[in-house]
Amino acid sequence: MKLNLKLSALALALIITSAGAFAQVKKKPAPSSKGKPVVAQAKAKADVLPVDDQVIIGKLPNGLTYYIRQNVEPKNKAELYLVNKAGSVLEADDQQGLAHFTEHMAFNGTRDFPKNEMVDYLQKSGVKFGADLNAYTSFNETVYQLPIPSDTVKIFENGFKILANWAGYVSFDPAEIDKERGVVLEEERLRGKNAQERLQNQTLPVLLNNSRYALRLPIGKDDVLKNFKPETIKSFYHDWYRPDLQAVIAVGDFDPKRVEQLIKQNFSQLQNPPAEKPRVKYTVPATPGTAVKIATDAEFPYTLAQIIVKHPGTTTKTTTDYMQQIREQLFNQMLNARLGELLQKATPPFLFGRSSYGGFLGEQDAFTSIAVARPGELEGAIKAVVAETERARKFGFTLTELERAKQDALVQMGNAFRERNKTRSVNFVREYQQHFLTGEAIPGIEYEYNFYVNNIGKITLAEMNALAGKFISDQNRVVIVEAPDKEKDKLPAEKTLLQWISTAGQNVTAYVDNVSSDPLISKLPDGSKVTNQVADDAIGTTTLTLGNGVKVILKPTEFRNDQILINGYAFGGTSLANDDDFTSANLATAIISNSGIAQFNQGQLDKKLAGKNVNISPYISEFTQGISGSTSPADFETALQLIYLYFTQPRKDKDIWQSQIDQTRSLLTNRGLDPVSVFQDTVAAVLSNYNFRAMVTTPARLNAASLDKAYSFYKSRFADASGFTFTLVGNFNVETIKPYLEHYLGALPSTNSNETYKNLDIHPAAGLINTTVNKGVGEKSSVQLVFSGEFDYNEANNLQMDALEEVLNIKLIERLREQESGVYAPGVRAGYHKTPSGRYTISVYFGCAPENVDKMVNATLEEIAKIKQNGALPADIQKFVAKEARSTQEQLKENIFWAGYLASSSQNKENPDQILSHVNNLEQVTVQSTKDAANKYLSGKNLIKLILMPEKK
C-alpha cells in the first residue's frame, strides 16, 4: 500500500509546486494549478464554473456520493475507486498510524472475502496486486483503487462488492492484525530510517508550525503499531469510514445506468454511526515573521535551502479563480524558464533551482523556492534563485516571454482537447476525486479549452508583473536549510541566512529575452526517393527504404488524435569508443542535446519551438545511437527538421560542457555519504564484473574527458544514416507523410560504412559471489539475489522467463510478506537480451530488518526450490495468464507499446507479426514448463548475493 507522504526536503518542495487541479488535462501549462483569487469577495452565481455534463453525480440517502462516467479508454476496463475523507489527522493519540493500518487491513479480510481471498480472486481476474490493485493513505484521505475488467459480468459486478466491503465490512481479524504489524513496520523501515526521515523529523514541526499535520504523519508511531488493541483500530474505522464521508468513483467502458444500480445495490445498506463525530478541518496556523530551521545529517548528500511563503489556501470554483490559476501557471512557467537558463552557464549558481506558487498542506497555498547548492556554495545558490524572483518583482516579465508562455499553454490545452475522446479513465478519476475532497471544479475539457482560447489573451503584462509582489513576503515564511553533517561548520547563522535572502536582488537588472528570428533551416535539403515499399497487412505497418539506405517502419493508428512517436536507431553506440575516450563519448548526447543546433543555442532553440508540440532528442547508448521523440501531426515537419539538424549541424557549447562537468563533479563529492547510493554503486560494479563502463564515473575520468572528444564521437555516430531504422507510430497517413520523409530523412548523410557494435563482454561473473556492504546508521538492510547466465533469445523462451518472473513474484509476496511478515515489497525482475549476446538475469530484491536478512534469503531460496521441484501451482499460472492476456490486449491499443515493440523487433531481427499470437501462446506455460525454466535459469550455479547492512557498531 502507498503512503501519500513525501515530505523530505527536496521532495516536499517538488510536491508543493506540482499540485494538480484538473487531472483530465494531462499537460497543463505549468506544474502548479491551485488557484488563488485576486480578491476575497462573494462570487455571483453566474461566475461559478459549470460541472461537466458527461459525469453523473449522485448521493445516496445515507450520504454516500458517487461519480459515474462512461469512457472507452481503455476498452473493456473500468476504474473503480473508493475515496474516504478519513486520514491520519483524524487519529486519536492512541491511533497514530491506524488510518494507514486500516487501509492494509482492507486487503486482509472482509465480510465477503475472508483473509487473502480478495487479492487471490482479483489476481485470477488479471488484476495485479500493487501495480493495479492498491491504495494510499494521506493526512486527509484514504483512497482505494481497483482497475477491473468490465467485459466479464461477474467480475465487474464483484468489483462494486469489493468497494462496499472496503467501505463498511472490513473484518479486523486479530490474527490478521498481528501478522500485518510486521508488514506495516517493514513499510516504515523501507521508506524511512534514513537521512530524509531524520531531517524531516527536525524540520516538519517548524514547517507545519507544530500543527496537527506535524503530529500526525500517516505512518504513525512504532509503539502504537506494535501494541494497539483490535478495538482501537475498529473504533477508528467505525468513526470515520462512514457513507457521508465516502465517495464511489466509477469511470470506464460500461453502461452508466447499470453502474448506478450496482452502486445503490451495494452501498445503500451502509449506515452512519448513531452519534457521528464531527469531521474537523485542521489547518496550519500562520507564523508571524520568518521561522528558520537549519538541520544536518551525516548521510544526507546535498546542501539545499527552501523558502516557503505560506498563503491562505483556495480552491478553484469560479471563473475568477480559474483566471488567476492561469496567471499563476504562466508566472511559474516564465520564472522557471529563467532559472533554467542559469543552468546553461559555464558555472551555474546551483545544481537545481526552482520557484513556484501552488497548493500546500492544511488549507494553504505557498510560494516555494528551492536551491540545491554545490558543497560550500550555499550563499550563491540561494541568492541566484531569490534574485530571479526579485528581478521579476522589480522589472517584470517581457511581452515576448508572456506571449511565448501563452502559446505553450494553448498548445498543451489544445492537445488535451484534441485527445478528449482518447483520455484514459484514470485521469477522470483523479479529477472527480479532487472535486469530492476539496470542491475543486470539474468543468470538463471542452469548457476548459474554450475558456483558455477566449480568455488567455485578456491576461495583461501588468497583471503578471504584479504577482511576484503578492507572492513574496517575510510574514508566514519558513526558511529551511538541510546539509550533510560535514558541512555544518560552513553553514550560515540564522541572521546571515536571512541577510542573504533580503539582499539577493539588490543589483539585479532587467531580463533580456535573447531570441532569434532565423528559420530552423535556411536551405532545405534535396533528399532522396523511396526505393522500396513493403506492407505488412497483419499488423498494419509499411516499411520504406529511402535512396540513402534509411529504413522507415510506419504504423498509422487512431489510438491518439494528436500524437506521432518517432524512434530511430543504428548499431554502434559507446561500445565503439576506446577506453580512454569512453567518458567523453558517454557524455556526448547529454552535451549535444543541451547545446542547441546549428546557430541556435539551447535557450534560443527552446524559444524558437514555443507554441509547437514537438520534442526530439538524440541519444547514444551502449550498443546503439539514435533519435527519440514525439510530435503532433501539425508539427511533424518541424520534428523532421530537428532530426535532420541533429545529424548534420549538431552544436557544441563550451558553457554547457563546463556546466555538465561541474554539476557531475559536485554530485560525486558527497555521493559516498548516502548508503543507498553506495550500495547501488557496489551492485553496478559487481554485476558488470567491475568494468568501469558500467560503474559510476570518477573525478579522474571527468578530468580526462574533453568537449572535442565528445563532439567528435557524436559526429562519428551520426555521420552515416544508411544503417538507421526509424519507426513512426501515430496519427498520420503513409502517402501524405512520404514526401516529408523523402525530403528530410532521405537527405541524411550516407557512407554505407556498415558499422555495428562491439561485444565488450560486460556481464555478471560466473559462480557464487557474496558481497556485503556495511553502510548507514539506520536499522535497515537491502538484499539483491541475482541469477545469471547465457540465454537463447526467442519468443518461446522469453514467454517462459516472463511467467517465471510473475510466479516467483506471487510466491515471494505470499511467503515473505504475508506469511513471514518480514518484508513490505519483495520484487522479482527478469531481464534478457539478444544484443550483444544472449544473456539473462533474474533479480530478487527486498528490504528488511538486518536481523532478518538470513531468514528472508533462506525463505526466498526455499520458494525457488519448490518451483524447481514441483513447478508452479496451476492457480499461479492462471494469475500470470490472466494478467498477461489483459495487459497485452491493452498494449495493442497504445502507440507507446508499438513504438517500442517495432524497434525491438527490428533490432532483434524478429518477425513482428508474432505479437498477434502472443495471447494464444500463453497456453505454453504449464506446471512442467515453469519447473523446467526454474531449473534452467534458477539453478544457483551463477548466483550473486548483494546485501546492504548497517555499519558495525
Side-chain angles (χ1 to χ4, degrees):
M1 306 305 105
K2 296 179 288 187
L3 283 171
N4 192 25
L5 173 66
K6 300 177 182 177
L7 288 173
S8 62
L10 179 57
L12 174 61
L14 296 178
I15 282 178
I16 291 168
T17 58
S18 63
F22 297 104
Q24 174 182 328
V25 183
K26 295 180 183 178
K27 290 185 177 181
K28 279 290 184 164
S32 175
S33 60
K34 292 250 180 177
K36 185 174 187 298
V38 179
V39 290
Q41 61 183 25
K43 306 292 192 302
K45 190 170 182 180
D47 196 27
V48 174
L49 291 166
V51 174
D52 187 355
D53 60 10
Q54 297 299 304
V55 58
I56 300 168
I57 303 177
K59 185 170 285 194
L60 300 181
N62 59 14
L64 182 136
T65 305
Y66 58 84
Y67 298 77
I68 303 170
R69 183 186 185 115
Q70 185 180 30
N71 188 61
V72 295
E73 294 292 336
K75 189 173 177 59
N76 297 327
K77 188 173 181 181
E79 297 284 347
L80 308 183
Y81 275 53
L82 174 70
V83 183
N84 302 271
K85 291 182 179 178
S88 59
V89 294
L90 299 178
E91 296 165 344
D93 288 343
D94 63 348
Q95 294 175 331
Q96 292 182 68
L98 299 195
H100 174 232
F101 208 109
T102 297
E103 171 215 314
H104 274 247
M105 292 308 300
F107 296 89
N108 284 274
T110 64
R111 183 191 65 184
D112 299 316
F113 299 91
K115 298 187 182 297
N116 288 315
E117 287 186 16
M118 178 187 297
V119 173
D120 185 67
Y121 168 76
L122 289 170
Q123 286 177 324
K124 291 176 180 176
S125 304
V127 179
K128 186 174 175 65
F129 182 59
D132 301 323
L133 174 68
N134 215 324
Y136 78 81
T137 300
S138 187
F139 290 105
N140 284 299
E141 76 265 14
T142 304
V143 178
Y144 298 84
Q145 62 188 58
L146 176 58
I148 198 164
S150 61
D151 56 348
T152 304
V153 174
K154 186 65 175 176
I155 293 174
F156 180 61
E157 291 184 349
N158 274 341
F160 293 90
K161 180 186 288 187
I162 289 170
L163 259 63
N165 272 245
W166 287 335
Y169 307 117
V170 175
S171 302
F172 296 107
D173 183 324
E176 292 295 321
I177 288 175
D178 287 339
K179 284 174 59 178
E180 200 66 19
R181 293 183 201 270
V183 176
V184 174
L185 289 167
E186 285 306 316
E187 180 177 2
E188 180 197 25
R189 187 190 312 278
L190 182 68
R191 301 181 188 279
K193 298 195 183 303
N194 53 21
Q196 286 76 14
E197 181 182 64
R198 293 188 292 270
L199 289 169
Q200 174 180 292
N201 291 338
Q202 296 180 62
T203 58
L204 277 187
V206 178
L207 182 62
L208 301 176
N209 197 15
N210 294 304
S211 66
R212 185 80 168 187
Y213 287 91
L215 302 174
R216 288 293 185 272
L217 299 186
I219 195 60
K221 292 189 173 182
D222 282 8
D223 60 339
V224 173
L225 298 174
K226 291 175 181 176
N227 301 306
F228 73 87
K229 300 285 191 286
E231 293 73 23
T232 309
I233 194 170
K234 289 179 180 178
S235 175
F236 180 87
Y237 187 73
H238 173 269
D239 289 339
W240 303 117
Y241 274 60
R242 62 194 205 213
D244 65 337
L245 296 179
Q246 293 175 322
V248 172
I249 302 175
V251 183
D253 188 9
F254 51 59
D255 176 4
K257 291 183 179 178
R258 175 60 180 146
V259 167
E260 191 165 27
Q261 290 175 349
L262 287 168
I263 291 173
K264 292 177 179 178
Q265 175 183 320
N266 283 278
F267 292 88
S268 294
Q269 294 82 7
L270 295 174
Q271 296 180 0
N272 295 294
E276 290 186 1
K277 286 188 176 182
R279 177 40 170 110
V280 178
K281 271 195 172 184
Y282 292 97
T283 60
V284 178
T287 306
T290 298
V292 176
K293 182 62 180 179
I294 299 175
T296 64
D297 188 272
E299 296 176 1
F300 194 60
Y302 308 109
T303 301
L304 62 87
Q306 294 179 85
I307 305 166
I308 303 110
V309 181
K310 293 177 280 187
H311 296 265
T314 57
T315 302
T316 302
K317 296 183 177 181
T318 68
T319 56
T320 303
D321 298 337
Y322 198 14
M323 280 294 285
Q324 183 66 2
Q325 174 187 303
I326 297 173
R327 293 186 192 98
E328 289 160 5
Q329 292 169 342
L330 297 175
F331 176 90
N332 291 343
Q333 183 174 337
M334 291 187 290
L335 181 59
N336 286 296
R338 290 185 178 184
L339 288 170
E341 286 185 12
L342 295 181
L343 286 173
Q344 297 170 16
K345 292 187 174 183
T347 307
F350 43 67
L351 293 173
F352 175 83
R354 185 171 182 82
S355 293
S356 292
Y357 187 89
F360 192 57
L361 284 173
E363 305 289 313
Q364 297 178 113
D365 292 341
F367 180 63
T368 302
S369 297
I370 182 168
V372 181
R374 291 187 182 84
E377 298 183 17
L378 181 61
E379 179 180 2
I382 290 175
K383 287 186 173 180
V385 172
V386 173
E388 286 309 315
T389 306
E390 187 64 10
R391 192 191 312 277
R393 188 187 69 81
K394 285 185 176 179
F395 301 102
F397 296 101
T398 67
L399 186 59
T400 50
E401 285 180 288
L402 178 57
E403 290 307 310
R404 201 161 51 240
K406 288 180 179 180
Q407 288 175 13
D408 283 338
L410 286 170
V411 164
Q412 293 169 29
M413 184 60 73
N415 175 262
F417 176 72
R418 286 184 288 276
E419 300 289 2
R420 63 193 181 280
N421 64 332
K422 307 290 186 181
T423 302
R424 295 183 69 84
S425 295
V426 70
N427 294 328
F428 293 110
V429 171
R430 297 191 190 108
E431 183 180 342
Y432 305 151
Q433 180 178 314
Q434 287 308 305
H435 182 265
F436 175 67
L437 291 171
T438 69
E440 198 79 38
I442 48 172
I445 186 58
E446 288 88 351
Y447 181 93
E448 290 190 71
Y449 173 72
N450 288 320
F451 189 92
Y452 261 72
V453 170
N454 294 326
N455 292 284
I456 199 169
K458 300 174 184 176
I459 295 175
T460 67
L461 197 58
E463 290 174 339
M464 296 305 305
N465 292 342
L467 289 183
K470 292 177 181 290
F471 296 158
I472 300 170
S473 174
D474 60 2
Q475 297 299 307
N476 202 16
R477 181 174 68 173
V478 178
V479 178
I480 293 173
V481 171
E482 295 180 341
D485 277 349
K486 59 182 262 188
E487 299 286 326
K488 186 179 295 186
D489 293 341
K490 301 176 185 177
L491 298 178
E494 179 177 324
K495 182 178 179 181
T496 303
L497 182 60
L498 294 176
Q499 185 181 30
W500 289 353
I501 295 170
S502 64
T503 61
Q506 284 183 344
N507 299 316
V508 295
T509 56
Y511 174 79
V512 177
D513 195 11
N514 182 14
V515 296
S516 172
S517 59
D518 294 342
L520 272 180
I521 295 181
S522 54
K523 183 181 179 182
L524 298 180
D526 293 330
S528 60
K529 297 294 184 181
V530 170
T531 59
N532 190 41
Q533 181 168 331
V534 178
D536 184 340
D537 295 334
I539 58 172
T541 62
T542 300
T543 301
L544 309 178
T545 303
L546 300 171
N548 58 351
V550 171
K551 183 188 291 186
V552 188
I553 302 171
L554 303 168
K555 180 171 176 58
T557 71
E558 297 180 353
F559 307 144
R560 296 282 298 274
N561 298 323
D562 207 35
Q563 182 186 71
I564 300 174
L565 300 181
I566 303 173
N567 289 284
Y569 80 91
F571 285 122
T574 58
S575 71
L576 300 183
N578 61 48
D579 285 353
D580 290 340
D581 294 341
F582 170 74
T583 303
S584 301
N586 204 36
L587 289 167
T589 46
I591 302 304
I592 300 301
S593 61
N594 286 291
S595 294
I597 46 178
Q599 72 270 35
F600 306 101
N601 65 33
Q602 190 61 43
Q604 291 171 326
L605 179 60
D606 291 340
K607 294 169 184 177
K608 173 66 64 177
L609 297 176
K612 294 185 180 294
N613 190 358
V614 61
N615 179 28
I616 297 294
S617 296
Y619 71 87
I620 302 176
S621 65
E622 187 176 1
F623 302 111
T624 61
Q625 60 274 341
I627 296 287
S628 63
S630 62
T631 181
S632 65
D635 295 315
F636 180 64
E637 184 174 9
T638 299
L640 294 182
Q641 290 178 344
L642 291 171
I643 293 172
Y644 176 77
L645 291 172
Y646 276 122
F647 270 84
T648 61
Q649 296 184 60
R651 188 173 181 275
K652 61 177 179 179
D653 189 314
K654 293 180 180 178
D655 288 348
I656 295 297
W657 170 263
Q658 193 59 51
S659 172
Q660 182 80 26
I661 295 296
D662 287 352
Q663 302 278 70
T664 305
R665 189 180 289 117
S666 295
L667 290 171
L668 290 175
T669 301
N670 290 323
R671 185 175 176 84
L673 300 178
D674 177 30
V676 174
S677 296
V678 172
F679 184 58
Q680 289 173 343
D681 294 349
T682 302
V683 170
V686 173
L687 295 186
S688 65
N689 202 10
Y690 295 92
N691 190 298
F692 79 94
R693 290 176 180 244
M695 295 163 60
V696 174
T697 193
T698 63
R701 291 195 174 276
L702 283 178
N703 293 338
S706 76
L707 174 58
D708 288 341
K709 286 182 178 180
Y711 184 72
S712 176
F713 185 78
Y714 178 92
K715 291 275 287 183
S716 71
R717 292 298 82 233
F718 290 85
D720 179 17
S722 63
F724 267 78
T725 298
F726 286 85
T727 59
L728 275 67
V729 179
N731 185 12
F732 58 80
N733 175 276
V734 172
E735 293 304 316
T736 301
I737 69 168
K738 190 190 297 185
Y740 293 96
L741 300 174
E742 292 174 329
H743 203 54
Y744 293 102
L745 299 188
L748 298 180
S750 175
T751 63
N752 297 306
S753 61
N754 295 316
E755 280 189 313
T756 188
Y757 55 84
K758 289 182 181 178
N759 184 355
L760 301 177
D761 207 27
I762 301 174
H763 56 72
L768 303 179
I769 299 172
N770 295 310
T771 300
T772 299
V773 176
N774 292 100
K775 184 69 177 177
V777 298
E779 287 298 308
K780 61 187 300 182
S781 292
S782 294
V783 176
Q784 285 197 37
L785 307 178
V786 182
F787 301 81
S788 67
E790 296 181 350
F791 184 71
D792 184 8
Y793 185 101
N794 59 53
E795 169 69 8
N797 287 344
N798 298 353
L799 175 60
Q800 297 301 329
M801 185 68 84
D802 291 343
L804 185 59
E805 175 191 72
E806 181 60 19
V807 165
L808 192 52
N809 257 315
I810 292 169
K811 300 321 291 181
L812 293 186
I813 289 174
E814 289 177 359
R815 176 70 182 274
L816 304 186
R817 175 178 167 131
E818 302 302 332
Q819 182 178 331
E820 303 287 349
S821 298
V823 168
Y824 169 63
V828 182
R829 184 180 300 112
Y832 45 85
H833 54 77
K834 188 176 183 179
T835 304
S837 61
R839 291 197 62 86
Y840 78 91
T841 59
I842 299 177
S843 298
V844 178
Y845 51 91
F846 54 82
C848 66
E851 63 270 20
N852 287 337
V853 166
D854 290 342
K855 181 181 179 183
M856 295 300 106
V857 169
N858 290 336
T860 298
L861 296 178
E862 285 178 13
E863 292 304 316
I864 290 172
K866 291 176 185 177
I867 302 174
K868 289 165 67 175
Q869 182 175 353
N870 304 314
L873 295 176
D876 292 338
I877 293 173
Q878 178 188 345
K879 292 173 184 178
F880 164 72
V881 170
K883 179 195 74 71
E884 185 71 9
R886 284 284 176 187
S887 63
T888 299
Q889 290 160 358
E890 287 185 26
Q891 287 175 332
L892 290 174
K893 300 295 183 182
E894 296 176 354
N895 287 339
I896 194 166
F897 166 78
W898 281 105
Y901 175 73
L902 292 173
S904 174
S905 298
S906 174
Q907 289 184 26
N908 292 317
K909 295 181 171 54
E910 296 175 292
N911 178 5
D913 294 3
Q914 66 187 11
I915 189 62
L916 301 178
S917 57
H918 181 67
V919 173
N920 290 333
N921 289 342
L922 294 175
E923 64 186 20
Q924 297 173 11
V925 180
T926 64
V927 173
Q928 185 62 45
S929 77
T930 56
K931 178 179 178 179
D932 293 342
N935 281 284
K936 185 174 185 179
Y937 302 123
L938 299 171
S939 69
K941 293 178 180 177
N942 298 332
L943 172 58
I944 299 175
K945 296 180 183 178
L946 299 134
I947 300 172
L948 172 65
M949 296 287 282
E951 295 166 14
K952 295 178 180 178
K953 297 177 181 178

